[in-house]
Structure formats: C-alpha cells, structure tokens
Amino acid sequence: LCWPRSGGIRGGGAMDLFGDLRRMNKRQLYYQVLNFAMIVSSALMIWKGLIVVTGSESPIVVVLSGSMEPAFHRGDLLFLTNFYDDPIRAGEIVVFKVEGRDIPIVHRVIKVHEKGNGNVKFLTKGDNNEVDDRGLYKEGQNWLEKKDVVGRARGFLPYVGMVTIIMNDYPKFKYALLAVMGAYVLLKRES
Amino acid sequence: LRKNVEDFTGPRERSDLGFVTFDITADILNGKNGLQTFWNKNALIIFDWNVKQLFLYLSAEYSTKNNALNQVVLWDKIMLRGDNPRLSLKDMKSKYFFFDDGNGLKGNRNITLTLSWNVVPNAGILPLVTGSGHVSVPFPDTYETTKSY
C-alpha cells in the first residue's frame, strides 16, 4: 500500500490521479476557509478594539442626511470618540440617538446647561436646518443628555461611506459584492 | 469684538429671554499667495489647502444659580474657502433666541461672549478653535416689557 502525498502525482493509473487531485483540492479548500475565517476574525477584533479605545459604541458612522451641509454630505464618514470625561460644549458636533429610534443623528450643540454636579442637558441643531432639533426628540423631550450621545465627531473622510449607503439601498449589490469577495478568498491560491 | 446690550423681555414658560446686539470685527488670516505666505512664520494660516470651510459661532457663556455653566450659541456663520476672511459686522441681532434655563439672566453681570470656529477639513481632524478676545456683557436687574428689538 502506498500513501499518496499532497502535490505528488504518482504514476500508475487514472483513478489514483483523480484521487490525488480530489484530496488536494479538499485540503486546500479547508485551508482557504480557515484563511477567510482568520481575516473575518481579525476585522472584528479591530472593530472591537476601536470601540474600546474610543469609548464609543459606534466609532465610525456614515452621514445619511444633508442636514449638516456644506460641512458633511450624505456618504461622508465620521470618526467619533466618547470619553466620559469630555465635557459637552457649544459648537461641538455630536452623534446622538433619540430614544425609540435606531438611527443616530449628527448635529451641532447649540445650547448647554450644566449643573455643578456634572449633570448636563443640551440642545442640538443641524447646520443646514432652520430650526433646532426639538422636533426630532421624543414627545415631550426638550433636551438631550449625556446618555443619548453616541460620540463626538473628531475626524472625517468624504465620500468613503457611500459604499455602505449603496449596499443598504441596493441589497442585490451587497450580495453580489459578498459573493465576489467569497469567491476570491476561496479560490485564490498562495503561490 | 464689540457689543451692545439692549433689553430683555419677560419670561416665556417662566424663563428669561435675553436680547443682545453686537458688532463683530474679526480677522481670520488667509494664506492668499499660497506658497509665499506658507513660509512667512508670522502669518497664521487658517485657510490652508486642507480647509474646506470654517463654521463660526458666537456663544454666550455664563453662570446662574440653577446651572454652574451655561453656553448659548447666539449667532453662526459658515465661511467657505475663498470667502473674505475679514469680518466687519455691525449691529447684528442674535440669530437664535437667547433663552436661559430658568431666570438666571436677570441681574447677571457676567455674560461672556466669545467667537469660536470649527475648522472643517477636506479630510481629517475636526478641531474647535476659540478666538482670542472676548467681551463681558451685563444684564440689567429689571425686565423690559416693551419690545424694541
């Protein structure tokens, strides 16, 4: 009995040859899958690491509306931090969530009232909006508090977030992209 | 920064409302000749190649019995790259209502008005800069009932 080695093609019959090839492909397939899993895990770890370092549950966000134009346009990417000790001050750009709504809003702080004990309430308004955000808050809510803040905008990149908007609006594009990425990773061979 | 306090009317929902008119003279230096002023160490370059616009805002900061720190933005302006960096605005009225959270404006002697701006780059960090020079505004002890705004 002879054991076939990977990559080796022994002389002696077509069936042996096919056996070799099938085994070779299966092993390489598993290897590629593992490689893919490692890439995904690393990406997730980097994301979690960013959450820890910035203190924000969502350190990178995409601007969805034009309410902060001409500074930010739909599709721009914002980098946030949310350090607990950072005070909220007028003029800062904050990303906040209204209770009961999933989608966070990026606007500027225009009023701050802070008590001696650190309790703070503030009002926001989009640069491109005529009125402040009271209409966007929950029924009866007049102010935002620190707990509503997802983060403060510290840096920004234009256009880069458009990809996620396209993927959201055109799910077929998202699946096509995933299929292409999956095929690439699984079929690519290391030379 | 120069200002002129007018009057302030009675409370709406039992809060103080203040009225302020002001003049703004500011000179946000511009690197006009690009390369030439880049090497001039005395010129403070604000509008460099990576600055898309400045978001300027005039904020009033003060303390009251209710709140240790209050900040209210009274006026703002977007200054795009290429706009005249020298501001000379006279007799401006505040764009936004100057409501206090409570009745802390009456008799408040120390309201500080400061001009600050948010630098919006083409890409990169978003800093908030406070201009040098600020003005203190005192509010009178009584309410004004006639609207002369």
Side-chain angles (χ1 to χ4, degrees), chain B residues 9-78:
Chain B
T9 66
R12 176 184 93 172
E13 289 166 342
R14 285 164 275 125
S15 288
D16 282 356
L17 173 62
F19 289 97
V20 180
T21 57
F22 49 91
D23 302 338
I24 296 184
T25 313
D27 195 342
I28 302 174
L29 284 174
N30 186 0
K32 280 197 234 25
N33 289 344
L35 199 57
Q36 189 175 345
T37 44
F38 178 77
W39 296 111
N40 179 356
K41 291 189 181 61
N42 294 326
L44 179 66
I45 307 227
I46 302 245
F47 274 109
D48 64 20
W49 60 275
N50 193 21
V51 173
K52 186 162 75 172
Q53 68 177 59
L54 298 184
F55 184 90
L56 300 136
Y57 55 99
L58 182 72
S59 57
E61 188 171 318
Y62 58 98
S63 267
T64 63
K65 221 170 17 115
N66 260 347
N67 296 302
L69 174 71
N70 300 277
Q71 288 184 328
V72 179
V73 170
L74 299 179
W75 171 90
D76 54 42
K77 176 180 166 60
I78 294 179

Side-chain angles (χ1 to χ4, degrees), chain A residues 84-118:
Chain A
Y84 186 71
D85 295 331
D86 262 347
I88 307 224
R89 292 290 172 253
E92 289 192 335
I93 301 173
V94 294
V95 178
F96 59 91
K97 274 215 195 125
V98 178
E99 272 177 66
R101 301 236 197 122
D102 288 328
I103 307 193
I105 304 177
V106 186
H107 282 170
R108 199 181 293 274
V109 174
I110 58 168
K111 273 198 187 179
V112 177
H113 295 290
E114 184 173 307
K115 294 207 187 292
N117 61 8

